[in-house]
């Protein structure tokens, strides 16, 4: 079985606010300053969430791990995004052109749809990837490890702690990853994606789905 671990990082588009409807203040507020502050807070919250919106996010990194070697494509510019998507479209196919089995953590709900949608927005040719839990050749470990109670959905970091992988330390939290265009900490982002790739690979091995290629 030809398998590949995949992880992405995203941020909001710089003009994401242009596509969002203006928020309305709480109707119970009467003080102009409080109304203004409430609108500003809601606008900031919407913009923060745009990094996880399929139509309002941009890629900041795409990471791939074949079980031996890991590669992280940083997307500091739109041109680098396009190049990363092209490279990923090649990497997820075997020499005969068949799609490899992609292993992710929450990839069915986010990573795979985001890659396909961003490629569409940028005009990059990209394969259609199945996200059907029962029919897809791809594995989403979050779905695999979550029982029927959605309140018991665990983060990847939870399993890093639960399984005692003390050698894995993630440099950046999700919020810091989403602000990399502001902070310029691309080295930290690369290390964070490498962390998630390694953790996902180990989790796939622990769960018994990983097959060496």
């Amino acid at each position: 079985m030809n398998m590949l671990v995949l992880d992405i990082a995203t941020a909001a588009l710089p003009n994401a606010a242009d596509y969002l409807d203006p928020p309305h203040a709480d109707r119970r507020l009467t003080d102009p300053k409080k109304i203004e502050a409430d609108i500003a807070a809601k606008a900031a919250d919407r913009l923060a969430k745009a990094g996880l919106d399929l139509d309002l996010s941009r890629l900041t990194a795409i990471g791939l791990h074949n079980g031996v070697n890991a590669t992280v494509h940083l997307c500091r510019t739109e041109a680098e995004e396009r190049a990363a998507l092209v490279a990923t479209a090649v990497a997820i196919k075997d020499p005969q052109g068949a799609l490899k089995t992609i292993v992710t953590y929450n990839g069915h709900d986010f990573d795979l749809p985001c890659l396909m949608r961003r490629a569409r927005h940028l005009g990059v040719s990209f394969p259609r990837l199945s996200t059907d839990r029962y029919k897809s050749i791809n594995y989403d470990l979050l779905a695999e490890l979550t029982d029927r109670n959605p309140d018991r959905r665990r983060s990847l970091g939870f399993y890093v702690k639960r399984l005692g992988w003390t050698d894995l330390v993630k440099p950046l939290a999700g919020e810091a990853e989403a602000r990399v265009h502001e902070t310029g900490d691309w080295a930290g982002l690369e290390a964070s994606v490498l962390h998630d790739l390694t953790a996902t690979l180990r989790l796939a091995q622990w769960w018994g789905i990983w097959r060496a290629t």
Side-chain angles (χ1 to χ4, degrees):
M1 184 183 294
N2 212 346
M3 306 187 82
L4 194 66
V5 175
L6 181 146
D7 181 63
I8 69 172
T10 61
L13 289 171
N15 61 339
D18 295 345
Y19 304 108
L20 296 170
D21 293 331
H24 298 286
D26 189 319
R27 293 182 179 179
R28 295 170 295 181
L29 298 176
T30 56
D31 185 291
K33 290 185 177 180
K34 291 183 178 180
I35 290 174
E36 183 179 353
D38 187 54
I39 291 175
K42 288 177 178 177
D45 182 61
R46 288 186 182 184
L47 193 57
K49 293 177 179 177
L52 299 177
D53 187 302
L54 297 183
D55 289 307
L56 297 177
S57 62
R58 52 179 166 171
L59 296 162
T60 54
I62 302 176
L64 302 166
H65 202 317
N66 64 7
V68 178
N69 299 307
T71 302
V72 177
H73 300 281
L74 294 177
C75 306
R76 289 159 291 211
T77 65
E78 191 172 287
E80 289 188 341
E81 267 190 278
R82 293 176 189 275
L85 283 164
V86 170
T88 301
V90 172
I92 61 179
K93 291 184 178 181
D94 65 22
Q96 287 72 46
L99 288 171
K100 297 177 182 178
T101 295
I102 302 172
V103 181
T104 60
Y105 197 86
N106 198 34
H108 284 185
D109 285 341
F110 185 65
D111 299 62
L112 302 187
C114 185
L115 287 175
M116 292 186 285
R117 189 70 61 87
R118 189 60 179 148
R120 177 74 63 171
H121 280 297
L122 293 178
V124 175
S125 178
F126 199 85
R128 294 190 67 84
L129 305 173
S130 173
T131 58
D132 187 297
R133 177 175 179 179
Y134 301 103
K135 298 179 181 178
S136 175
I137 64 170
N138 303 314
Y139 286 102
D140 180 345
L141 285 169
L142 176 59
E144 290 271 330
L145 294 166
T146 300
D147 60 26
R148 294 186 179 182
N149 186 342
D151 293 333
R152 287 195 283 268
R153 287 165 63 97
R154 310 290 193 183
S155 68
L156 183 59
F158 168 86
Y159 285 105
V160 170
K161 292 180 181 179
R162 180 67 181 86
L163 298 173
W165 297 331
T166 56
D167 60 311
L168 296 184
V169 180
K170 187 167 182 173
L172 301 181
E175 183 179 345
E177 288 184 1
R179 296 181 58 242
V180 69
H181 283 286
E182 302 169 38
T183 65
D185 191 3
W186 293 97
L189 178 65
E190 182 176 15
S192 286
V193 173
L194 283 171
H195 167 281
D196 288 353
L197 288 172
T198 303
T200 303
L201 173 63
R202 289 189 189 179
L203 193 56
Q205 292 168 334
W206 176 79
W207 191 237
I209 64 169
W210 184 263
R211 299 291 182 270
T213 57

